[in-house]
């Protein structure tokens, strides 16, 4: 069993110890947790990768509460359109410095 301030791992299962915050969609968003709700309809071009994802890669989950889009104008590799209440898993490649959406 491994635990830290925000994550607990037991029997291969990972749990978050905090509620998922909400960030407004904008040209740049900066999630501070692995799971975040995203409100608004503004296009997102850049996602600031939180530590340690910024150095080693990893995933974040965006849960849209409105239909926003992602564009390739920043560090997102593929454009996508969010589906309200359907989780969008974003995978960060630290070598390419790009986010790849799950849909």
């Amino acid at each position: 069993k491994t635990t830290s301030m925000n994550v607990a791992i037991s029997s291969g299962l990972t749990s978050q110890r905090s509620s998922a915050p909400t960030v407004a969609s904008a040209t740049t968003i900066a999630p501070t947790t692995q799971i975040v709700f995203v409100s608004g309809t503004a296009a997102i071009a850049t996602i600031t990768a939180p530590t340690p994802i910024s150095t080693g890669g990893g995933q974040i989950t965006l849960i849209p509460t409105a239909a926003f889009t992602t564009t390739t104008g920043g560090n997102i590799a593929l454009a996508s359109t969010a589906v309200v209440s359907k989780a969008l898993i974003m995978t960060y490649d630290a070598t390419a410095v790009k986010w790849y959406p799950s849909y």
Side-chain angles (χ1 to χ4, degrees):
K1 179 178 177 184
T2 302
T3 59
S4 72
M5 205 162 111
N6 295 319
V7 176
I9 302 171
S10 178
S11 302
L13 301 173
T14 303
S15 70
Q16 300 292 324
R17 290 189 178 188
S18 63
S19 299
T22 299
V23 297
S25 62
T27 302
T28 299
I29 64 170
T32 57
T33 60
Q34 192 172 4
I35 301 170
V36 65
F37 288 94
V38 179
S39 65
T41 58
I44 300 170
T46 301
I47 300 171
T48 303
T51 303
I53 292 173
S54 60
T55 56
Q59 294 182 327
I60 59 172
T61 302
L62 306 179
I63 304 172
T65 61
F68 61 84
T69 58
T70 63
T71 70
T72 59
N75 66 353
I76 299 174
L78 305 167
S80 63
T81 300
V83 177
V84 175
S85 297
K86 181 176 180 180
L88 177 61
I89 310 299
M90 299 295 288
T91 302
Y92 186 70
D93 180 335
T95 301
V97 192
K98 294 280 184 180
W99 288 98
Y100 293 87
S102 60
Y103 62 85

